[in-house]
Amino acid sequence: MRPLDILIGVIVMIVWGMNFAIGKLAMAEFPPMMLIGLRYLLTAVLLIPFLKPQGMKFAHIFALSMTLGVLHFAFMFTGLKGTDASLAAIAAQIQVPFAVILAVVFFRERPSRRQILGIAIAFAGVAMLAGAPKTSSSLFHLGLVIVAALLWGLAHIQVKWMGAVNPFVLNAWMAVLAAPMILSASLTIEDGHWDALQNAGLAGWGGVVYMAIGVTVFGYGLWYRILQKYDVSQTMPLTILAPLVGAASGILFLGEKMDAFQLTGAALTIIGVGAVTTGGKTKAKVEAET
């Protein structure tokens, strides 16, 4: 890879990794699902020019907006609310092994031995994170993060069924469809919406802007261009930076701590996911967003 493209990839991973800490700060001012709904509203406005049919079946994009846009992010950010950002950033990476397992079920793909070993190591690492003897995170909320990772894996399968799609077109339609659904769910399940809108400050609104512009428009716009230029074997190792940045940002900016037991679990998870992402025989692209 060209040095400039490597630099761009690293910047994108930093932006995505920081999303955990920034999301955590934003949820001090907005309920989790309300935060995601506002993110989608802003994303929809920014990506209006990309609202084109492009030969996509409406049923497919609607199903994806339900799985990824509503359920995945509802579980992920509700879980993040009660989990350290550093812990959630690592545990969420189990989504990659889940995607490989689901590909075996739905597409009869055959993972390599290296991928199988990586899956086992990653699950062992997440089990250690969940079984950590001393943690400020709720086991229930960490479980929600893991469910969100499973839903991401299912969304990855849905994207593969759809075939090649412009990521801006995909994110535009997802934002338009998911925003009313997740905001309706927020109004039904969560409370304090009016107070949040009145009192939210830089952390809350900054989080909305960061997720819409930084994570979606900027991050995926640049990352997709890199994916088009290089093989997965060249680009996927960069993705390991995202959870490392996520964990580091939680520790540095939120004052979170990880003991030796948790650090061991985190290391195993990263090693396992790294083996999965670099051990495939086929060229697969990660399409879903963080």
Side-chain angles (χ1 to χ4, degrees), residues 76-164:
M76 176 62 73
F77 277 78
T78 302
L80 179 59
K81 179 78 172 178
T83 308
D84 285 352
S86 53
L87 199 64
I90 301 296
Q93 302 312 303
I94 202 71
Q95 63 194 17
V96 177
F98 274 138
V100 173
I101 293 170
L102 290 171
V104 173
V105 175
F106 288 99
F107 297 118
R108 299 294 188 266
E109 292 186 5
R110 298 182 63 181
S112 66
R113 292 181 180 178
R114 182 175 178 177
Q115 286 182 307
I116 294 172
L117 178 60
I119 290 171
I121 293 173
F123 274 104
V126 171
M128 289 187 67
L129 292 177
K134 294 181 181 180
T135 175
S136 61
S137 301
S138 158
L139 185 59
F140 170 76
H141 286 90
L142 181 60
L144 294 182
V145 173
I146 294 172
V147 172
L150 175 60
L151 289 164
W152 184 95
L154 182 58
H156 185 72
I157 298 300
Q158 291 175 290
V159 170
K160 292 186 72 171
W161 269 328
M162 293 173 66

Side-chain angles (χ1 to χ4, degrees), residues 29-30 34 38 192-200 205:
E29 300 185 355
F30 286 123
M34 182 183 181
L38 292 172
H193 300 83
W194 181 242
D195 288 340
L197 288 173
Q198 286 184 308
N199 299 318
W205 291 115

Side-chain angles (χ1 to χ4, degrees), residues 250-271:
I251 294 170
L252 293 174
F253 301 120
L254 302 180
E256 298 171 353
K257 297 180 180 179
M258 296 182 73
D259 59 25
F261 191 85
Q262 290 174 310
L263 287 172
T264 302
L268 287 175
T269 304
I270 295 299
I271 291 170

Side-chain angles (χ1 to χ4, degrees), residues 154-176:
L154 182 58
H156 185 72
I157 298 300
Q158 291 175 290
V159 170
K160 292 186 72 171
W161 269 328
M162 293 173 66
V165 180
N166 184 307
F168 287 119
V169 174
L170 181 61
N171 279 309
W173 279 106
M174 275 194 46
V176 168

Side-chain angles (χ1 to χ4, degrees), residues 2-48:
R2 293 172 53 198
L4 178 60
D5 290 329
I6 294 175
L7 177 60
I8 291 173
V10 169
I11 292 173
V12 171
M13 292 307 124
I14 292 173
V15 170
W16 285 351
M18 289 288 293
N19 193 38
F20 288 92
I22 289 175
K24 188 83 172 177
L25 290 171
M27 283 187 291
E29 300 185 355
F30 286 123
M33 286 187 285
M34 182 183 181
L35 174 65
I36 298 305
L38 292 172
R39 167 195 181 171
Y40 275 133
L41 280 178
L42 180 55
T43 301
V45 172
L46 293 172
L47 297 182
I48 283 177

